[in-house]
């Protein structure tokens, strides 16, 4: 029994949905089909989720929504009409889109969540109708009926553990269940979404819940590559990797699989297979608990992400000051801000954050409160901060990886602003300026893979 998730690129048009239908028909183990909202059909196109965000913003600001509503409807109309879905099945979908502003929402954050979620909700209904029309014993299953209950965070929800017992009741389904990704409901029955790209998370949750033999994640690349293919032409494909390797790489920018989707897969020990909808015969990449130690390359992958910022603090004799760290962490806690890393020197401390958590106002408040509490000699935020990760289980058995990486970066004239091998034996982390990040990834790739 397999759970199979199709990303937005696999569902962007009726042509793509035809491929999806063939993939589901080709294997009768594929019983749980998780769908994203229609994605980009070509470079420069807009995902339906982004159109819905625009629609929600215009609704909140009482602006004219006619154009965006028609654009969204056209996306579903092209897919439905491409399969001759009867108009009386398409009209309710169009009506739901038009009437989204007329529903009751607790506040604008719930409104935004509900608008976004409808990309997946309506697509799953449409895909179920297409599957049924093609003769498959398929039906739509709402996350509520599936038993998924999430925390009350409208745009970044987490699954509540007790959901798994409910989802387990759907194990061994005879029917093909088409389940929308990306959202579920809180305990009050309000829609909350996962973070962006979160349909991968729904797939992993359902896979753990029904104890699937495999979670197939279909996207638009033949494999997970050792490096983002936007940076290096035809990079080495990764045949197999461990959950830990993928967790570290997706954290630092391998957007092909959501990092939070690994948690249910790890908990349920469900092997994940990332595959290409446009090339389903390719084996793709397996993500599993253990793998054969790679002998060909010492490193499995290299990732980089610019979505970080840092707070630098300097104070002489910081190392002798009892309570210095606690005072800072208390201030962060009071503002509900979490930190990612905290490399320190004798007189210096850098705190690295996910920059999505901070606003200019919050940065000012944190700077003022921390200055008041610990009187640093110097304190400032910088957003010019990228994190690079060099990841591989094989690294723990090899010496000299750090020196090779540092030399490759130095030879490319890249300034390192942070190095952290920290507690993880399977990764090295580098901080670099944003402008150097892409070149640094290429330099590291050439060092370890060419
Ligand atoms: N290391 C990597 N290997 C493969 N793809 C990657 C990697 N890093 C980033 N990507 C990007 O991830 C994309 C697939 O993820 P995504 O856009 O979320 O697809 P989907 O629409 O299927 O959800 C690829 O097209 C590629 O541009
Ligand atoms: N549609 C949502 C969720 C998602 O997972 O999409 P995709 O499969 O296209 O990455 C988003 O754009 O964030």
């Amino acid at each position: 029994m397999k759970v199979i998730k199709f990303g937005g690129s696999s569902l962007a048009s009726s042509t793509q949905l035809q491929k999806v239908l063939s993939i589901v028909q080709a294997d009768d183990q594929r019983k749980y089909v998780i769908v994203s909202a229609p994605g980009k059909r070509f470079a420069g196109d807009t995902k339906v989720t982004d159109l819905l965000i625009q629609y929600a913003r215009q609704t909140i600001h009482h602006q004219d929504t006619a154009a965006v509503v028609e654009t969204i409807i056209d996306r579903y109309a092209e897919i439905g009409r491409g399969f001759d879905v009867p108009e009386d099945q398409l009209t309710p979908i169009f009506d739901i889109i038009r009437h989204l502003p007329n529903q009751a929402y607790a506040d604008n954050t719930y409104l935004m969540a509900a608008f976004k979620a409808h990309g997946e909700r309506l697509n799953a209904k449409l895909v179920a109708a297409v599957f049924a029309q093609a003769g498959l014993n398929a039906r739509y299953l709402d996350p509520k009926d599936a038993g998924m209950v999430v925390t009350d965070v409208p745009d970044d929800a987490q699954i509540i553990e007790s959901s798994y017992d409910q989802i387990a009741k759907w194990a061994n389904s005879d029917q093909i269940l088409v389940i929308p990704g990306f959202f579920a409901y809180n305990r009050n029955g309000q829609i909350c979404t996962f973070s962006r790209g979160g349909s991968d998370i729904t797939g992993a949750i359902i896979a753990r819940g029904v104890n699937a033999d495999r979670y197939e994640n279909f996207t638009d690349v033949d494999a997970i590559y050792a490096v983002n293919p936007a940076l290096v032409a035809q990079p080495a494909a990764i045949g197999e990797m461990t959950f830990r390797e993928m967790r570290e790489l997706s954290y630092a920018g391998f957007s092909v699989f959501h990092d939070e989707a690994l948690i249910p897969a790890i908990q349920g020990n469900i092997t994940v297979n990332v595959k290409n909808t446009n090339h389903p015969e390719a084996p793709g990449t397996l993500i599993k608990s253990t793998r054969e130690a790679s002998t060909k390359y010492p490193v499995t992958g290299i990732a980089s992400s610019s979505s970080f910022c840092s707070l630098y603090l300097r104070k002489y004799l910081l190392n002798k000051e009892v309570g210095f760290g606690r005072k800072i962490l208390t201030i962060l806690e009071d503002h509900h801000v979490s930190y990612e890393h905290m490399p320190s020197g004798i007189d210096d401390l850098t705190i690295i954050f996910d920059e999505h958590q901070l606003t200019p106002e919050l940065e000012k408040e944190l700077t003022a409160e921390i200055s008041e509490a610990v009187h640093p000699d110097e304190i400032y935020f910088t957003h010019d901060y990228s994190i690079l990760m060099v990841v591989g289980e094989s690294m723990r058995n090899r010496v000299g990886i750090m020196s090779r990486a540092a030399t490759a970066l130095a030879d490319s004239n890249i300034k390192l602003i942070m190095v952290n091998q920290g507690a993880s034996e399977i990764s090295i982390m580098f901080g670099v300026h944003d402008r150097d990040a892409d070149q640094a990834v290429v330099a590291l790739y050439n060092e370890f893979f060419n």
Side-chain angles (χ1 to χ4, degrees), residues 5-10 36 39 47 197 200 217-221 223-230 238 253-257 302:
K5 177 256 173 179
F6 292 96
S9 55
S10 305
S36 283
K47 293 175 101 175
D200 289 341
N217 192 285
F218 275 80
T219 180
D220 64 350
V221 279
I224 299 177
Y225 299 105
V227 71
N228 185 342
I238 302 170
F254 272 27
S255 54
V256 59
F257 192 71
I302 300 157

Side-chain angles (χ1 to χ4, degrees), residues 11-59:
L11 295 157
S13 64
S14 53
T15 314
Q16 287 302 91
L17 183 52
Q18 184 59 56
K19 297 176 191 170
V20 166
L21 176 60
S22 304
I23 290 167
V24 174
Q25 283 169 327
D27 183 347
D28 63 10
Q29 293 298 303
R30 291 173 173 150
K31 287 285 192 257
Y32 305 86
V33 180
I34 316 302
V35 301
S36 283
K40 292 185 183 186
R41 293 159 293 183
F42 44 83
D45 195 16
T46 308
K47 293 175 101 175
V48 164
T49 308
D50 291 305
L51 293 169
L52 287 160
I53 291 171
Q54 206 179 318
Y55 183 19
R57 289 203 179 117
Q58 289 174 350
T59 302

Side-chain angles (χ1 to χ4, degrees), residues 4 21 24 30-35 89 120-147 166-167 169-181 206:
I4 173 166
L21 176 60
V24 174
R30 291 173 173 150
K31 287 285 192 257
Y32 305 86
V33 180
I34 316 302
V35 301
Q89 289 186 40
E120 272 67 15
R121 179 166 178 257
L122 299 177
N123 210 24
K125 285 179 185 280
L126 186 56
V127 170
V130 168
F131 282 7
Q133 192 163 295
L136 292 174
N137 181 12
R139 75 165 177 99
Y140 172 84
L141 179 66
D142 196 78
K144 188 181 279 170
D145 300 322
Q166 302 306 314
I167 299 168
K169 296 179 182 159
W170 292 94
N172 305 313
S173 171
D174 294 334
Q175 275 192 304
I176 294 174
L177 301 172
V178 183
I179 306 171
I206 298 294

Side-chain angles (χ1 to χ4, degrees), residues 227-271:
V227 71
N228 185 342
L231 298 177
V232 171
Q234 297 178 312
I238 302 170
E240 276 186 22
M241 63 200 301
T242 64
F243 291 129
R244 286 183 67 193
E245 288 174 324
M246 191 60 203
R247 163 91 179 119
E248 305 234 7
L249 288 164
S250 56
Y251 169 82
F254 272 27
S255 54
V256 59
F257 192 71
H258 199 297
D259 64 335
E260 289 176 47
L262 284 159
I263 314 298
I266 292 168
Q267 290 164 335
N269 197 15
I270 314 282
T271 297

Side-chain angles (χ1 to χ4, degrees), residues 51 76 95 111 120 128 174 182-183 190 196 219 230 259:
L51 293 169
Y76 291 102
D95 285 345
L111 177 152
E120 272 67 15
D174 294 334
F182 190 40
F183 78 95
Q190 292 158 310
R196 290 299 304 268
T219 180
D259 64 335

Side-chain angles (χ1 to χ4, degrees), residues 52-53 56-57 60 104-117 151-157 182-184 186 190-194:
L52 287 160
I53 291 171
R57 289 203 179 117
I60 290 167
Y105 304 103
D107 65 32
N108 286 340
T109 60
Y110 292 98
L111 177 152
M112 177 60 83
F115 274 55
K116 282 195 293 185
T151 54
D152 185 21
V153 184
D155 63 350
D156 193 12
F182 190 40
F183 78 95
N186 65 18
Q190 292 158 310
I191 288 181
C192 295
T193 72
F194 298 118

